[in-house]
Amino acid sequence: MAILLGCIADDFTGGTDLAGMLVKAGMRTVQMIGVPKESPGDDIDAVVIALKSRTSPAEEAVAESLAALRWLQQTGCRQFYFKYCSTFDSTSKGNIGPVAEALMKELGCSFTIACPAFPVNGRTIYKGYLFVGDLLLSDSGMRHHPLTPMGDSSLVRVLQSQVQGRVGLAEHATVLKGEEAIRSRFRALEAAGCNFAVVDALSNDDLLAIGAACAGMQLVTAGSGIALGLPQNFRRAGLLADDRVADALPPTGGLRAVISGSCSIATQGQVAAMRAVHPSFHVDPFELARGVEVVAAALEWAASRIKDEPVLFYATASPEAVKTVQMQLGSEKAGKLIEAALAAIAKGLIEMGVGQLIVAGGETSGAVVQALGVSGLRIGVEIDPGVPWTTAITKDSVGRPLALALKSGNFGSPDFFLKAWSKLI
Ligand code: ADP
């Protein structure tokens, strides 16, 4: 069966967030890293293409998003979804508006919604104004964001300044009346010459009603919240089985390892918990800087231990230790040096027979994924909120499947590295 929903996310973690939401709502989902060259595999209901376009120049963001759209169109997707941040992160020159309009033009559609609301995380929209918790967006920390400062909370105004078309509002009073009322508001706005409806949303029920009203809409632009309601539309249309198990992954065997380059507080606790019970190897930034063959030593060390139990490789250190390293080596240089070493260790481990790998740290994960040639991730069961097991799609997807868990620094419970394995079959 063809893929039902094709999504374009403007950054990687945003893509992961959306993919996780779709899996929870019952769609088998793959997240591709950048515009794919290869097939995402069979038996998939949704694809999320994660770009890094949030802060690139608008023309670049448009070009990349169009390339992603064209690839998704080839897979036969029935609906398209442009995913941005729940705080509508964009610069004064774009990119949300220009990308949305370019996608609409390519798809030949003249009306869509704009709804970054994500109430469980405190992002709500009322009368078109975006709130972060109890504060207006423009009073929240987003006012001082280094790349995308948001000084205006009116989404109608912000979006209007980014687009050529007209922006209207579907107010909460309408949303409360449910799917039919929302749909007729969309029709009225379109008839009045609007191309976008900013939609108020204060709760998950609102998101579900808006999602239902978006059935058949060619393009949806939103945060990840609206994704809650879309799978049900496909179910109602008989395109998605009710009993679909969306988070099942193919079995992966092989040896087990953890690589940690994150120094976040949660990761420090997780590293300590693993060090207490399993063999662990410290990747020392000063040794790397002196040119010691740390990667070779790490792999040799692993060879005699990894057959019996999971092993840990970590650069994770306390804030004081990190400061000392950064003062002597420079933060960027130290970061890159460590990332490169951890990525090389990951590569060596896969060659050694590792089939289940946890990586801690956002940047560290990026380096590992690149070194392993991973082009996409099939999203599986969640280990802790926001961190699923995945199976890697690699450019030459042959041989053993690789289970990968990519953990952002501050995610996961203290026993994350210990309990994660039992979630795999
Ligand atoms: P997080 O998700 O916790 O932010 P990242 O992997 O994104 O983790 O970032 C951590 C950065 O810190 C990486 O660039 C990593 O190489 C670097 N790093 C790891 N250990 C050390 C250390 N001991 N000293 C200095 N930098 C370190």
Side-chain angles (χ1 to χ4, degrees):
M1 195 187 281
I3 293 166
L4 300 174
L5 185 65
C7 312
I8 301 165
D10 68 358
D11 87 336
F12 185 80
T13 49
T16 308
D17 180 21
L18 174 60
M21 193 78 91
L22 292 169
V23 170
K24 263 188 224 147
M27 297 184 93
R28 297 166 301 183
T29 305
V30 156
Q31 177 179 6
M32 303 301 288
I33 302 162
V35 181
K37 294 196 177 59
E38 55 280 281
S39 152
D42 300 322
D43 302 328
I44 288 162
D45 305 307
V47 175
V48 178
I49 297 181
L51 302 178
K52 269 167 114 178
S53 55
R54 182 169 296 165
T55 53
S56 29
E59 317 78 67
E60 265 175 45
V62 164
E64 260 189 66
S65 305
L66 284 175
L69 176 68
R70 288 183 190 125
W71 186 89
L72 289 168
Q73 282 175 307
Q74 279 173 21
T75 68
C77 293
R78 289 172 183 255
Q79 188 170 38
F80 301 89
Y81 194 119
F82 171 37
K83 195 272 173 199
Y84 37 73
C85 189
S86 62
T87 39
F88 213 67
D89 299 17
S90 46
T91 63
S92 53
K93 298 206 180 76
N95 290 342
I96 295 176
V99 168
E101 281 196 317
L103 297 176
M104 288 165 86
K105 188 162 169 227
E106 181 75 13
L107 289 167
C109 70
S110 56
F111 188 81
T112 185
I113 63 160
C115 185
F118 197 8
V120 288
N121 282 354
R123 273 57 157 170
T124 53
I125 307 171
Y126 188 65
K127 295 202 181 283
Y129 287 82
L130 180 57
F131 289 82
V132 177
D134 295 332
L135 300 174
L136 279 167
L137 175 69
S138 51
D139 292 328
S140 76
M142 282 307 294
R143 184 180 186 81
H144 302 295
H145 191 282
L147 303 174
T148 53
M150 300 299 290
D152 188 351
S153 308
S154 163
L155 293 177
V156 175
R157 231 169 12 225
V158 171
L159 184 57
Q160 189 64 75
S161 74
Q162 296 180 1
V163 296
Q164 321 247 297
R166 277 185 59 196
V167 183
L169 175 66
E171 285 204 47
H172 192 243
T174 307
V175 173
L176 268 185
K177 286 187 200 143
E179 177 187 342
E180 264 320 306
I182 302 169
R183 215 193 300 273
S184 76
R185 177 67 182 151
F186 290 166
R187 278 195 296 267
L189 284 170
E190 193 173 3
C194 284
N195 309 97
F196 293 88
V198 169
V199 192
D200 281 353
L202 300 180
S203 66
N204 270 356
D205 284 347
D206 292 345
L207 291 180
L208 289 172
I210 299 163
C214 290
M217 190 179 274
Q218 248 189 314
L219 174 71
V220 172
T221 90
S224 56
I226 293 294
L228 272 181
L230 298 185
Q232 191 56 20
N233 297 337
F234 295 118
R235 265 182 218 112
R236 278 197 276 182
L239 296 167
L240 186 67
D242 279 341
D243 56 356
R244 173 82 83 230
V245 179
D247 65 2
L249 293 177
T252 46
L255 305 173
R256 296 169 291 174
V258 179
I259 289 187
S260 178
S262 157
C263 298
S264 299
I265 292 173
T267 310
Q268 289 190 45
Q270 290 152 355
V271 164
M274 178 135 180
R275 283 182 62 195
V277 288
H278 290 303
S280 45
F281 185 98
H282 179 226
V283 175
D284 182 344
F286 292 118
E287 284 189 1
L288 288 172
R290 284 203 308 273
V292 177
E293 302 271 342
V294 176
V295 174
L299 292 172
E300 200 186 316
W301 172 90
S304 60
R305 294 170 172 86
I306 198 164
K307 299 229 156 41
D308 303 323
E309 56 186 316
V311 295
L312 166 71
F313 302 84
Y314 68 99
T316 306
S318 66
E320 301 76 44
V322 170
K323 208 178 240 165
T324 313
V325 168
Q326 289 180 333
M327 274 181 4
Q328 296 195 30
L329 305 180
S331 350
E332 199 171 330
K333 187 175 163 222
K336 293 287 166 237
L337 205 56
I338 296 163
E339 284 165 32
L342 293 177
I345 292 173
K347 216 163 165 222
L349 288 172
I350 304 300
E351 280 156 19
M352 203 179 276
V354 164
Q356 303 178 348
L357 179 67
I358 301 174
V359 186
E363 293 299 322
T364 308
S365 294
V368 168
V369 155
Q370 199 172 17
L372 299 183
V374 174
S375 54
L377 303 165
R378 169 83 183 257
I379 311 296
V381 63
E382 228 175 24
I383 305 164
D384 268 330
V387 201
W389 271 114
T390 71
T391 41
I393 300 167
T394 50
K395 294 193 175 63
D396 48 351
S397 274
V398 286
R400 286 174 298 111
L402 170 65
L404 256 187
L406 306 176
K407 190 195 79 73
S408 294
N410 266 324
F411 284 26
S413 60
D415 59 349
F416 186 93
F417 297 155
L418 305 176
K419 73 179 181 187
W421 318 108
S422 67
K423 303 253 177 179
L424 285 172
I425 40 171

